[in-house]
Amino acid sequence: MSASILIIGEGLLANRVYEELAVRYEITKNTNFNLNIPATTDLVLVLHDTWNPSIHKQAESVVQSANIPWLRAFVSFGKGIIGPLVRPGTPGCSQCADIRRTFAGSDSKEMWEIMRILSSKKEIPGDIWTSSNGLRQMTHILLREVQCILQNDYVRSEGHMFFVNLQTLKSSYHFFLPHPLCSNCSQMPNDSSHSAKISLQSSPKVNLDNYRCRSISDLSKVLVKDYLDYETGFLNDKMYDLTPPFADVSVNLPLLFGNEPTAGRTHSYATSELTAILEGLERYCGLEPRGKRTVIHDTFRNLGHQALNPLEVGVHAKEQYMKPNFPFKPFHPDRPMNWVWGYSFLQERPILVPELLAYYSLGSKDGFVYETSNGCALGGSLEEAIFYGILEVIERDSFLLTWYAKLSLPRLDLSSVNDQELQLMIERVRAVGGYDIHVFNSTMEHGIPSIWALAKNRKEKGMNILCAAGAHLDPVRGAKSAIFELAGMMLTLDKKLEANHKKYVQMFHNPSLVKTMHDHPMVCALPEAEERFQFLLNNNRPLQTFTEAFKQKTRHEDLTDDLREMLHMLHQLNLDVIVVDQTTPEIMRNGLHCVKVIIPGMLPMTFGHHLTRLIGLERVLDVPMKLGYTKQSLTFEQLNPHPHPFA
């Protein structure tokens, strides 16, 4: 008995496919879904000579309810598009495919608007780029797919789309990921206190000297294949930067409101590409909840017994909130907001966290603070992600505390380190970049090694001073991480500084003009800004060897043991570690995890001098005295008034 196929559509493509299939199968052809689908139907094909989003949405509803697989093919702006094959109840529908295709395109904002307009229209003219040969090529691909579907062979259009250039006939094949926020097929669970509970599990390291539980070579098998594609990719572009001293690769995370580049910096371009992809995945996970649906919208006054007090993470000063057009409102315990569940390691219980602290809140409506990716980290296990999330919070807290309190940190003797890679990195930066590297011990009262790195230009032109930070249980790794960050700015920003010199001089004299992340390092790179670093450069303190500066720590084969060690060091000071799991289905498919770590009391990184967050963070006043840098606690009036140099 031959299979039964229903074709929905009209035009040249629908007619041609009908003629070819009618020879072998029982075919029914309708122009729309107004008639009932025959009960014996094995497959539905939705075929048009134009892009008709409204009928694809209708197909999702009608065909899914009939429990029948369906496949679409259509023409859009000179491209023939085939797929995906949609199976009932399986994530990865046509709506997911359209979201990925629209976002990955170079004109995503315009395409999103076109899709919105077309979705409300019933009559849509045919695509003017349609060609007879192009439709013949599409028909050939469709016939092969139909045969495979009906014979239960490998179906290439399942989770994929074919693209056919209707002029050149060049065809390509592209994977796409189901979208967790898809209104049609999403199966995202509700957020809950139960799902927020964390019980640390063993996470063996790749080897004793590697603080990762999965190697980059292992991840290389899936990262490019699953996430980087110029037509349908989660990430849609990459660029090699040949200017810096080390291999620098950036990939693009396409977003509706603009592109978000993320960079990888290592000793090889292949590894840097993979690192950039991981950074892009981390950034994506931190933008908004995509793994669990937020369900709690209430006031802190009602939830206080089980919630983090927002004032403990630092807020803006009253004077900032009162400024015209300031994007945030002062926190009020009676103003409702969204809350998500995190886990408090100090209290050993789930805890509610304002959603705008757990995810990006850059200018979000009704927000009370500016929050960035501070504390977001990706890992091959949940434990690894938490480990690096803690380190990022510590790295940035140490950097900012040093800057605002103007701590005369002890300089570290790089020549004292018996590490060939580090020595070669320093030599390369000096020879290729023209910079001398200075590193300082910025470890704070918790004892977790932190590094402030400063690059001083030896040339007459270019960025004069660049700054970065690193934190790690292995301080040499922290130093290398900071040097990689410094190298990413070397030579690449020189022309920008020269072209906009006047603007940055104005910012130097008027810090309120420092508005963006990129403004911070540019202002501090001016020759006249060097005086602001004298508390570091001219403190006349004796050099410390790494052995003198950092206690030798026990080396563990399991990363979870290192994590427990850090938690213990923080808990001794009554510093909590709150973790919000940001993991999405897209990264979970490959065993990756992403978290946001919040350590109340530590200084969060902010960009834009007008968005500094220090109120409620007494550590910046008290820690300098605890560490012996000052004889008494500081006052807010004594803090460094200049924009920080972190990039």
Side-chain angles (χ1 to χ4, degrees), residues 63-74:
V63 183
Q64 288 263 14
S65 62
N67 201 34
I68 300 170
W70 73 280
L71 177 66
R72 66 177 185 173
F74 60 98

Side-chain angles (χ1 to χ4, degrees), residues 169-410:
L169 302 188
K170 180 181 179 180
S171 302
S172 54
Y173 172 65
H174 302 272
F175 171 72
F176 73 93
L177 287 164
H179 200 286
L181 300 183
C182 176
S183 59
N184 179 63
C185 70
S186 172
Q187 300 175 359
M188 188 162 63
N190 288 340
D191 188 21
S192 69
S193 60
H194 177 74
S195 64
K197 292 179 180 178
I198 296 176
S199 176
L200 296 179
Q201 305 298 312
S202 174
S203 186
K205 296 177 181 176
V206 173
N207 57 59
L208 188 61
D209 297 319
N210 192 321
Y211 285 77
R212 295 286 182 181
C213 64
R214 294 179 67 183
S215 68
I216 197 73
S217 59
D218 173 43
L219 292 172
S220 68
K221 301 169 186 175
V222 297
L223 291 181
V224 175
K225 177 178 70 71
D226 281 8
Y227 302 115
L228 183 58
D229 189 290
Y230 63 93
E231 290 282 11
T232 59
F234 188 105
L235 304 162
N236 70 339
D237 197 10
K238 66 178 177 181
M239 183 182 74
Y240 295 89
D241 190 344
L242 306 180
T243 304
F246 303 116
D248 193 310
V249 180
S250 61
V251 300
N252 183 61
L253 172 62
L255 303 169
L256 191 59
F257 52 79
N259 293 319
E260 182 78 11
T262 59
R265 301 180 180 103
T266 67
H267 295 304
S268 79
Y269 288 101
T271 304
S272 292
E273 178 182 339
L274 299 175
T275 305
I277 291 173
L278 291 169
E279 181 74 17
L281 300 181
E282 175 192 302
R283 193 70 52 87
Y284 171 84
C285 292
L287 288 171
E288 62 178 317
R290 291 185 173 98
K292 294 170 285 187
R293 185 177 288 104
T294 300
V295 294
I296 297 178
H297 184 80
D298 207 337
T299 66
F300 176 68
R301 192 175 302 281
N302 289 338
L303 301 173
H305 63 289
Q306 55 183 341
L308 168 69
N309 185 344
L311 298 179
E312 294 179 5
V313 299
V315 295
H316 308 294
K318 291 181 180 178
E319 298 77 23
Q320 292 170 281
Y321 288 112
M322 293 173 64
K323 290 179 180 178
N325 302 317
F326 192 72
F328 304 100
K329 302 175 182 178
F331 168 73
H332 196 287
D334 292 323
R335 187 166 68 239
M337 66 177 78
N338 285 339
W339 298 79
V340 297
W341 284 102
Y343 184 79
S344 164
F345 276 97
L346 184 64
Q347 301 175 50
E348 297 182 330
R349 69 178 179 94
I351 187 171
L352 285 170
V353 177
E355 184 183 83
L356 57 83
L357 290 177
Y359 297 88
Y360 283 39
S361 64
L362 312 180
S364 68
K365 184 179 179 182
D366 295 329
F368 60 89
V369 291
Y370 169 93
E371 182 69 19
T372 65
S373 62
N374 202 64
C376 291
L378 191 86
S381 68
L382 181 62
E383 291 73 20
E384 182 184 315
I386 297 171
F387 178 85
Y388 282 98
I390 292 173
L391 289 176
E392 179 168 289
V393 174
I394 288 171
E395 163 198 301
R396 296 176 175 199
D397 168 80
S398 298
F399 186 96
L400 291 176
L401 205 153
T402 296
W403 179 257
Y404 289 128
K406 292 194 283 191
L407 302 182
S408 55
L409 301 176

Side-chain angles (χ1 to χ4, degrees), residues 47 51 128 135 137 141 165 168 183 195 207 209 298 301 309 339 375 392 407 414 419 461 511 569 588-589 608 613:
L47 312 175
W51 183 22
I128 62 173
L135 293 180
Q137 174 77 344
I141 295 172
N165 185 311
T168 66
S183 59
S195 64
N207 57 59
D209 297 319
D298 207 337
R301 192 175 302 281
N309 185 344
W339 298 79
E392 179 168 289
L407 302 182
L414 286 168
D419 186 290
K461 293 185 178 181
M569 296 167 79
M588 178 57 78
R589 65 181 276 118
R613 276 171 58 191

Side-chain angles (χ1 to χ4, degrees), residues 386-494:
I386 297 171
F387 178 85
Y388 282 98
I390 292 173
L391 289 176
E392 179 168 289
V393 174
I394 288 171
E395 163 198 301
R396 296 176 175 199
D397 168 80
S398 298
F399 186 96
L400 291 176
L401 205 153
T402 296
W403 179 257
Y404 289 128
K406 292 194 283 191
L407 302 182
S408 55
L409 301 176
R411 189 180 302 188
L412 293 163
D413 183 1
L414 286 168
S415 66
S416 70
V417 182
N418 184 23
D419 186 290
Q420 186 179 27
E421 181 187 30
L422 177 62
Q423 300 305 330
L424 290 174
M425 289 175 68
I426 296 166
E427 288 182 23
R428 184 167 181 82
V429 165
R430 182 180 174 87
V432 178
Y435 284 84
D436 289 326
I437 298 293
H438 305 281
V439 295
F440 302 85
N441 181 5
S442 61
T443 305
M444 295 297 146
E445 82 282 22
H446 43 68
I448 298 172
S450 303
I451 301 290
W452 174 302
L454 183 150
K456 178 69 174 69
N457 198 345
R458 300 169 59 242
K459 308 182 298 295
E460 293 183 2
K461 293 185 178 181
M463 306 280 284
N464 182 44
I465 285 179
L466 299 169
C467 296
H472 204 285
L473 289 181
D474 177 357
V476 175
R477 288 178 182 273
K480 291 177 183 177
S481 174
I483 293 171
F484 274 125
E485 291 300 316
L486 290 173
M489 296 181 279
M490 290 174 186
L491 308 178
T492 63
L493 299 177
D494 290 351

